[in-house]
């Protein structure tokens, strides 16, 4: 077997494992999201409504997570540093599990997976002025742009994603770390807001878990970038 064929075989195996991880995470996450409310049954409060922090957080965070899952799958296939590939796998399975939970909540609440409102408008509560003019929903495109080209903080552009798909070797390692670090940093305000303002305890709990996990992952990515002599990207 040639070196090229061996490399391609290894990449295919990593991709297959990532797909299996996604499937398992979806099933586990959806079950957790569904049964979290079922266990409360008669004692649980009224379901969150459209525009609430709980619904808006779940809808927008799913869009944000979906891109992180896509970036991670690319890194699992193309990155060369085992620590980067392991990190990408952890992010992929963790965030796909969380997508499953949020999908389960929205199903229980009879809410769509995508809102018809602008991104992050649920973060305006009329008291602290935290209104956010985000991108208008309309599709689950990875960069989630509006006609004006705006997007949620930290999201990679279509050009960023194309560059990541084309990158190989050390270039793929660094670019993934840079894009994912910025992605984590951009989503942090939504996660913190959800942890503080959501009404459903399970939503607050998941949001806080996201904060803790992604801050830890951000520290790891910052350290890896420093070791590779690369700098983080500025926030977009």
């Amino acid at each position: 077997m040639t070196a090229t064929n061996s490399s391609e075989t290894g990449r295919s195996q990593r991709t297959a494992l990532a797909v299996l991880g996604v499937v398992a995470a979806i099933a586990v996450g959806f079950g957790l999201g569904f049964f979290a409310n079922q266990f409360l049954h008669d004692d649980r409060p009224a379901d969150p409504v459209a525009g609430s922090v709980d619904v808006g957080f779940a809808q927008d965070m799913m869009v944000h997570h979906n891109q992180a899952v896509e970036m991670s799958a690319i890194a699992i296939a193309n990155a060369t540093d085992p620590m980067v590939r392991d990190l990408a796998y952890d992010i992929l399975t963790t965030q796909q599990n969380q997508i499953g939970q949020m999908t389960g909540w929205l199903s229980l609440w009879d809410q769509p997976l995508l809102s018809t409102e602008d991104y992050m408008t649920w973060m305006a509560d009329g008291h602290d002025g935290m209104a956010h003019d985000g991108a208008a929903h309309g599709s689950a495109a990875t960069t989630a742009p509006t006609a004006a080209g705006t997007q949620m903080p930290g999201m990679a552009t279509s050009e960023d994603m194309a560059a990541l798909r084309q990158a190989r070797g050390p270039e793929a390692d660094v670019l993934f770390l840079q894009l994912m670090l910025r992605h984590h940093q951009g989503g942090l305000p939504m996660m913190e807001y959800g942890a503080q303002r959501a009404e459903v305890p399970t939503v607050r709990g998941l949001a806080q878990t996201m904060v803790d996990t992604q801050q830890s992952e951000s520290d790891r990515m910052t350290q890896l970038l420093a070791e590779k002599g690369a700098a983080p990207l500025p926030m977009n």
Side-chain angles (χ1 to χ4, degrees), residues 18-72:
V19 171
L20 290 174
V22 168
V23 172
I26 290 173
V28 172
F30 187 90
L32 288 172
F34 184 85
F35 287 112
N37 277 7
Q38 288 296 96
F39 286 141
L40 298 176
H41 200 55
D42 294 335
D43 295 331
R44 69 185 179 93
D47 291 337
V49 298
S52 66
V53 172
D54 302 79
V55 172
F57 169 80
Q59 291 171 330
D60 285 359
M61 193 53 65
M62 284 175 62
V63 174
H64 216 264
H65 270 24
N66 276 328
Q67 188 182 70
V69 168
E70 182 178 355
M71 288 195 292
S72 297

Side-chain angles (χ1 to χ4, degrees), residues 1-11:
M1 180 181 293
T2 66
T4 299
N5 288 339
S6 177
S7 175
E8 291 298 327
T9 299
R11 186 175 297 123

Side-chain angles (χ1 to χ4, degrees), residues 84 169-179 224-225 228-231:
V84 173
E171 180 187 1
D173 299 333
V174 169
L175 186 55
F176 169 75
L177 292 170
Q178 289 175 323
L179 292 175
L224 286 169
L225 282 172
K228 297 176 184 299

